[in-house]
């Protein structure tokens, strides 16, 4: 009979069983590591042509895995199939649902994100690790969160609902892997098999300077675990995308006051804004919005604490630039900040006549270079409002903004043709005479 082949694997570094504690002591004392501790072994029995238990037959093979610590995954011998302990194939997940479930149809997106720090995210994740919360796609833990991978992230992020891998990204901002910090996530949403082929982990920090492994907190069968994991995961590594929770409070956003005045020259980053943020950059944002005529949403302020007035005022400014969808979500992007800081964005009605209004003084022609595809500035907004006022705005599908486009060219062309001009004189690009007649 062929002897069994054993391949041993050392336990994870955070295994706290008595055997592993003793093993680490033995290693420190210079003893042989196999003298102590628990092991994870894959035992392969090859019985080709051998009668077992009195029976005969063809060759047979059996694999037996013995995990050393709770939650540790079986690792096959080299060349064997990695079918054991793979959350992407073994685990499933539920859909969006309210806390405590169980009816996804009644789920609603929370009106505001609950603020949370990185330390709070990791500490909340550790609670499930310590409790060894059993994996389940249809059961809810005592705190109201579903016991699957996305429910685990919803819990750690202190969200007011149970999300799934197809919705978590809506509450977060995509970042690079180099930007990962504890509390961020690595998300793999598989559109081919969303409920069973997807997975998400919480990033707990790098294991060393090479950044090839990180500490992953994750909800997987049989229960919540924490272990070193290759970037971005054991399988489908390249498809795990890093995200940062929009409700995160960082050291920057928890500062209530600044030591000096905040400059508008440099965009402070997306983490400076949003629910729970409290800093001088928010005050500066509000002041810039008010200066351009977007202050009607403020009853008091602007101030350092982010609120709905800040979001609505920012959204109004973004909509005035002609932006729609995610570009006009009320969260200041780098482009939003730049237009506000340089006062190049569309105003209501500071630098230009608003709809139905006129300028007190005739503006000076700024030069043809301002009216070319892709150029942006207050002069573009100014001429747009004037064209709308004079009845040449039918080509605009959104409120006038600062970026020159085809709708502007066609509107100017219509005005020029109305003057009786043809050919090069009616090319849609405003020259000095076009400008003079527009603002006569």
């Amino acid at each position: 009979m062929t002897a069994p082949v054993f391949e041993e694997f050392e336990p994870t570094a955070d295994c706290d069983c008595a055997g592993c504690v003793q093993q680490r002591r033995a290693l420190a004392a210079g003893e042989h590591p196999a003298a102590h501790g628990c092991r994870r072994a894959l035992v392969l029995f090859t019985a080709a042509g051998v009668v077992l238990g009195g029976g005969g037959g063809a060759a047979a093979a059996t694999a037996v895995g013995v995990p050393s610590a709770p939650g540790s995954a079986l690792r096959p011998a080299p060349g064997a199939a990695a079918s054991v302990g793979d959350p992407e194939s073994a685990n499933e997940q539920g859909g969006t649902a309210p806390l405590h479930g169980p009816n996804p149809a009644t789920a609603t997106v929370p009106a505001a994100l609950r603020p949370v720090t990185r330390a709070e995210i990791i500490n909340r994740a550790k609670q499930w690790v310590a409790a060894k919360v059993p994996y389940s796609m249809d059961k809810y833990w005592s705190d109201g969160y579903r016991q699957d991978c996305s429910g685990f992230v919803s819990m750690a992020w202190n969200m007011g609902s149970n999300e799934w891998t197809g919705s978590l990204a809506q509450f977060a901002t995509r970042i690079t892997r180099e930007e990962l910090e504890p509390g961020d996530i690595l998300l793999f949403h598989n559109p081919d098999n969303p409920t069973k082929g997807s997975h998400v982990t919480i990033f707990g920090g790098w294991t060393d300077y090479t950044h090839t492994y990180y500490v992953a907190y994750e909800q997987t069968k049989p229960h919540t675990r924490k272990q070193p994991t290759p970037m971005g995961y054991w399988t489908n590594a390249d498809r795990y995308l890093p995200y940062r929770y929009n409700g995160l409070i960082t050291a920057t956003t928890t500062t209530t006051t600044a030591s000096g005045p905040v400059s508008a020259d440099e965009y402070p980053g997306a983490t400076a804004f949003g629910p729970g943020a409290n800093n001088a950059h928010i005050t500066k944002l509000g002041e810039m919005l008010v200066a351009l005529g977007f202050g009607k949403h403020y009853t008091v302020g602007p101030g350092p604490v982010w609120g709905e007035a800040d979001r609505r005022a920012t959204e109004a400014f973004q909509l005035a630039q002609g932006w729609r969808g995610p570009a006009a979500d009320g969260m200041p992007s780098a482009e939003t900040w730049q237009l506000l800081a340089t006062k190049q964005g569309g105003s209501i009605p500071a630098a230009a006549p608003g709809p139905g209004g006129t300028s007190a003084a005739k503006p000076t022609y700024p030069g043809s270079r301002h009216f070319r595809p892709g150029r942006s500035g207050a002069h573009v907004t100014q001429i747009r409002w004037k064209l709308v006022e004079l009845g040449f705005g039918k080509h605009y599908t959104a409120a006038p903004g600062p970026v020159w486009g085809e709708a502007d060219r066609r509107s100017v062309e219509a005005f020029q043709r109305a003057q009786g001009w043809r050919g090069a004189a009616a090319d849609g690009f405003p020259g000095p005479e076009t400008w003079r007649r527009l603002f006569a």
Side-chain angles (χ1 to χ4, degrees), residues 19 29 36 39 55 70 102 116 170 238 263 319 359 396 402:
H36 305 277
R39 304 167 183 164
V116 64
Q170 300 175 13
D238 293 336
S263 172
L319 290 172
S359 298
Y396 294 114

Side-chain angles (χ1 to χ4, degrees), residues 47-233:
V50 179
V51 177
L52 298 178
T62 306
V64 180
V66 184
S68 66
S72 60
L74 299 177
R75 291 190 287 177
S83 60
V84 182
D86 179 5
E88 295 168 10
S89 60
N91 295 340
E92 300 178 40
Q93 62 171 322
T96 301
L99 294 183
H100 297 282
N103 183 9
T106 63
T108 57
V109 177
L113 299 181
R114 298 174 177 176
V116 64
T117 65
R118 293 191 184 279
E120 289 171 340
I121 293 174
I122 297 302
N123 286 334
R124 291 172 68 87
K126 286 180 177 178
Q127 290 176 4
W128 273 34
V129 173
K132 300 177 182 178
V133 175
Y135 180 91
S136 176
M137 65 170 290
D138 51 19
K139 292 183 180 179
Y140 294 77
W141 196 237
S142 57
D143 53 17
Y145 292 95
R146 193 177 55 246
Q147 297 166 212
D148 58 12
C149 63
S150 49
F152 175 59
V153 171
S154 300
M155 179 279 301
W157 279 0
N158 194 27
M159 302 182 72
S161 60
N162 282 283
E163 300 303 320
W164 71 305
T165 56
S167 63
L168 281 172
Q170 300 175 13
F171 302 88
T173 299
R174 175 81 177 274
I175 59 176
T176 66
R177 290 187 173 184
E178 290 73 23
E179 295 174 312
L180 278 166
E181 294 184 49
D184 299 332
I185 64 171
L186 285 155
L187 175 65
F188 168 40
H189 179 66
N190 181 11
D192 297 327
N193 192 355
T195 61
K196 196 171 183 180
S198 307
H199 193 50
V200 60
T201 68
I202 297 176
F203 180 84
W206 300 108
T207 59
D208 59 26
Y209 72 96
T210 65
H211 288 191
T212 54
Y213 273 70
Y214 68 102
V215 176
Y217 294 85
E218 59 178 330
Q219 179 68 354
T220 183
K221 292 179 180 178
H223 50 65
T224 321
R225 72 183 181 190
K226 166 196 172 186
Q227 69 173 19
T229 302
M231 179 57 58
Y233 201 65

Side-chain angles (χ1 to χ4, degrees), residues 306-327:
W306 179 267
E308 181 63 11
D310 300 290
R311 191 199 67 77
R312 293 182 65 188
T314 303
E315 179 187 30
F317 174 79
Q318 292 167 333
L319 290 172
Q321 314 314 305
W323 304 344
R324 296 295 182 269

Side-chain angles (χ1 to χ4, degrees), residues 206-296:
W206 300 108
T207 59
D208 59 26
Y209 72 96
T210 65
H211 288 191
T212 54
Y213 273 70
Y214 68 102
V215 176
Y217 294 85
E218 59 178 330
Q219 179 68 354
T220 183
K221 292 179 180 178
H223 50 65
T224 321
R225 72 183 181 190
K226 166 196 172 186
Q227 69 173 19
T229 302
M231 179 57 58
Y233 201 65
W234 302 98
T235 55
N236 291 302
D238 293 336
R239 301 181 69 181
Y240 276 79
L241 305 179
Y243 285 90
R244 179 165 296 161
Y245 183 46
N246 288 339
L248 180 70
I249 303 175
T250 65
T252 299
T253 59
T254 53
T255 303
T256 56
T257 59
S259 57
V262 172
S263 172
D265 295 338
E266 185 176 351
Y267 175 60
T271 56
F273 309 102
N278 184 343
N279 57 75
H281 299 293
I282 298 173
T283 304
K284 186 64 178 179
L285 171 73
E287 291 171 349
M288 293 190 295
L289 286 165
V290 170
L292 286 180
F294 295 89
K296 70 175 184 178

